[in-house]
Structure formats: structure tokens, C-alpha cells
Amino acid sequence: MEQKVASPVSKGVIITLLLIVFGLIIYFTNQMDNSAIQYIQYAILSVGIIWSCISYAKQLNGNVTFGNVFAHGFKTTAVIAALLAVYTFISVKFLFPDIVDKSMEIAKKKMESSGNNMSDEQIRQSLDIVRKFFIPFAIGGILVMFAIIGAISSLIGAAVAKKNPQSPFEQNLQL
């Protein structure tokens, strides 16, 4: 009897739910301007994808190749990025529309304190552009950052996962 392997979709849903819960904690504790805590979501993503790769190899008793494990990890990344893009659209548009205003206030403070010699008018114009394209910027940022982090994490997961691939000839001899 062959062992059932958890799909990248199921693992992606689990990791996505963890990321959403973490995001909600950041939002409701008003920690959106704390950039250090924002990096924890990338750690959750990385650890989740590495876990996905290792568990995939373990479920197949190590009978995998580096490429198989990497592909599984990157498929998991794609599921996470797609689900979070949809969640981001829904949350910004319907659930938490005030997040745009909060983000613009944080960006304004950073622009004023960065010492980049921008006038108040230039800051206002910049923020107006960002406000207009907030959702595409947010979704694009998720897709790009998660693809990069997912690829790196998939490489790490594929490298550390226990692999003991058997050639088709060896499998026939064991029957």
C-alpha cells in the first residue's frame, strides 16, 4: 500500500493561514510601522516551505531527487502567493479599507524623516500615486518577494531533505 503524499495545495493553505493570522495580529496590535516584526512573516514563509520540502521527501521515504523536492516546494510557494494575493485584494478592498490610510501615514513619516530633501508637495504627489496604485503594488510585492523567498527556501529544503532515489532498475530487482 502506497503512502499518500500531502499535496502542495494543502501545505500551501496551512502556511497561508498561518501568514494571515500573523498579519491580523500585526494589524490589530497596531504594529504595521514596526518593520522588524514585518520580517517574521518571511521567516514563517521560509520555515513553512522548508518543512513542506522535508515532509514531502519523508512521505516518499527519500525516494526523491533534488528536482522533485524543489518543484514541490516551489509549487507550495505558488499556492501561498496566489492565496495571499487574493486575500490581500479582499482585505484591502473590503475588510480593512483603512489599511491604505495607515500605510500612507507610515510612508509619509518615513519620507519626512529620511532626509531626502523632498518638499511637502513632492511627498504629497508621491503618496497620491502610491494610494492610486496601492492594491497592484501590494499584490505585485507579494508575488515578487514570495517568489524570491520561495525559490531560496525550496532550494534549501531540497538540499536538506533526505534523498535516497532508486533507479527504475533497482526497483524492479526488489520486486
Side-chain angles (χ1 to χ4, degrees), residues 8-63:
V9 174
S10 62
K11 293 175 183 175
V13 168
I14 292 167
I15 297 166
T16 301
L17 290 174
L18 288 172
L19 289 167
I20 289 172
V21 167
F22 182 73
L24 291 172
I25 291 169
I26 289 174
Y27 176 78
F28 287 120
T29 59
N30 207 20
Q31 294 293 316
M32 289 176 44
D33 59 343
N34 186 346
S35 59
I37 207 166
Q38 295 280 340
Y39 290 110
I40 295 174
Q41 75 177 354
Y42 298 131
I44 293 170
L45 175 66
S46 294
V47 169
I49 292 169
I50 293 169
W51 160 78
S52 174
C53 292
I54 292 170
S55 72
Y56 173 72
K58 194 178 287 185
Q59 288 171 339
L60 292 174
N61 298 321
N63 191 19

Side-chain angles (χ1 to χ4, degrees), residues 53 56 60 63-75 158 163 165:
C53 292
Y56 173 72
L60 292 174
N63 191 19
V64 292
T65 64
F66 183 90
N68 296 132
V69 179
F70 174 80
H72 183 84
F74 202 75
K75 288 175 191 175
K163 295 170 286 300

Side-chain angles (χ1 to χ4, degrees), residues 63-173:
N63 191 19
V64 292
T65 64
F66 183 90
N68 296 132
V69 179
F70 174 80
H72 183 84
F74 202 75
K75 288 175 191 175
T76 304
T77 301
V79 170
I80 295 166
L83 291 174
L84 277 178
V86 171
Y87 169 75
T88 299
F89 176 79
I90 292 170
S91 66
V92 170
K93 198 76 170 165
F94 305 110
L95 301 176
F96 310 111
D98 63 319
I99 202 165
V100 177
D101 295 330
K102 288 181 179 182
S103 297
M104 292 301 106
E105 190 59 37
I106 292 167
K108 182 178 180 182
K109 287 178 186 174
K110 286 183 180 179
M111 290 172 119
E112 290 172 346
S113 68
S114 68
N116 56 12
N117 298 329
M118 290 178 72
S119 68
D120 288 341
E121 179 63 23
Q122 289 172 321
I123 290 173
R124 189 189 58 75
Q125 288 175 345
S126 298
L127 292 176
D128 286 345
I129 292 170
V130 172
R131 181 183 299 279
K132 183 186 271 186
F133 297 107
F134 187 82
I135 292 176
F137 286 162
I139 291 173
I142 286 171
L143 295 177
V144 170
M145 285 303 296
F146 280 34
I148 293 168
I149 293 169
I152 293 168
S153 300
S154 296
L155 285 170
I156 294 169
V160 299
K162 183 179 176 193
K163 295 170 286 300
N164 187 19
Q166 296 177 346
S167 72
F169 302 112
E170 290 173 357
Q171 290 175 355
N172 289 337
L173 293 175

